[in-house]
Amino acid sequence: MWFSTAALLSVLALSRCHVASANPLEPTHTVKLDTRRVRVKPPPNCFPALGFTMPTTIPISLTDWWCDPSTEYGFVGFSYEVTECQSLTKLRKQFLDVRQRFNGRYVRLYGFCDRIGFYDDVVDAAWGAGIGVQALIWFGFDGGDEWKGRRDTLFAALHANPKAKFVTRVLQFGSEPLFDWVLDPYDLIDQVNAAKANLSSLHIPVTVSDMAYSFRDLHANDGGPQVLQAIDVFDTHMLPFFSTLASTGELE
């Protein structure tokens, strides 16, 4: 076993200390020290881990592509507002900034852009920066049905763009459709199930982007828990102060 000089001196010093202070009528105690170097676990070789190198060609399979969720915690990225309909040049610049300056791994899209080909640009920029995307079907706040066209356009892009499934970590219905009463919870469940069926060949999970309050309290008796059962992953916003009953903001 390899010992450093400092570690060896420490062992000798401790041994001398015990010999000098030991009671001659009592057995001396053995001190065991692990002087091995601490091995730092290397970063996982998966997308979009920090240090992961993007392949030069598109993989043939998603097998072992995504990082295990258990390795993804702490700060992972930003919400990214897209109502500006950013150009491809700007998307590339800002996604690289997320990755290189902030060590981000994901962007979560917020808002909407109805420009033709916009999500293809998002995929291009995400692939180039090496970050994952949480895609979004935006409902809005005015009760319109434009979201249906956005849904169909996004589905088409996800199927047509060969890189899309390699950067799209999840598809969200949002933002906060339960809190805003955009759809009846059971109608929302129907949309989730239809999206899961549509994207099953791409292995893109589906979720609802909403507050814990909406699932647990606001719709506790009319479908909130059932929505949680329908989605693939949790995408809950811990914002209790949005509740009209909020006081201290503490979670129960």
Side-chain angles (χ1 to χ4, degrees), residues 9 17 23 50-51 91 127 132 144 151 159 164 181 210 223 225 242 245 249:
L9 290 175
C17 177
N23 188 317
L50 300 180
L91 288 168
W127 179 273
R151 173 200 60 197
H159 281 281
W181 296 86
D210 216 307
F242 270 41
L245 303 177

Side-chain angles (χ1 to χ4, degrees), residues 19-59:
V19 171
S21 61
N23 188 317
L25 300 180
E26 296 179 357
T28 57
H29 300 285
T30 301
V31 178
K32 294 183 179 180
L33 296 176
D34 186 352
T35 57
R36 293 173 294 181
R37 282 180 171 177
V38 177
R39 294 182 178 179
V40 179
K41 187 176 180 180
N45 186 32
C46 54
F47 181 81
L50 300 180
F52 177 75
T53 301
M54 294 296 290
T56 55
T57 59
I58 302 173

Side-chain angles (χ1 to χ4, degrees), residues 110-195:
Y110 185 86
F112 69 95
C113 173
D114 292 333
R115 172 168 61 81
I116 295 174
F118 179 72
Y119 196 74
D120 287 326
D121 288 349
V122 169
V123 169
D124 180 297
W127 179 273
I131 60 175
V133 178
Q134 296 183 14
L136 177 69
I137 297 172
W138 178 258
F139 285 106
F141 307 108
D142 53 10
D145 61 359
E146 292 87 353
W147 63 270
K148 295 180 180 179
R150 294 168 188 151
R151 173 200 60 197
D152 296 343
T153 298
L154 180 56
F155 286 172
L158 291 172
H159 281 281
N161 190 318
K163 293 180 179 177
K165 66 180 180 181
F166 293 99
V167 298
T168 306
R169 190 67 176 100
V170 68
L171 170 74
Q172 310 167 94
F173 283 95
S175 178
E176 296 160 0
L178 291 173
F179 183 78
D180 294 329
W181 296 86
V182 173
L183 288 179
D184 177 89
Y186 292 101
D187 291 336
L188 183 58
I189 290 172
D190 289 341
Q191 290 297 321
V192 168
N193 288 334

Side-chain angles (χ1 to χ4, degrees), residues 233-252:
V233 294
F234 295 129
D235 194 8
T236 54
H237 307 169
M238 305 305 287
L239 302 173
F241 50 82
F242 270 41
S243 168
T244 57
L245 303 177
S247 56
T248 63
E250 295 178 356
L251 295 175
E252 297 178 0

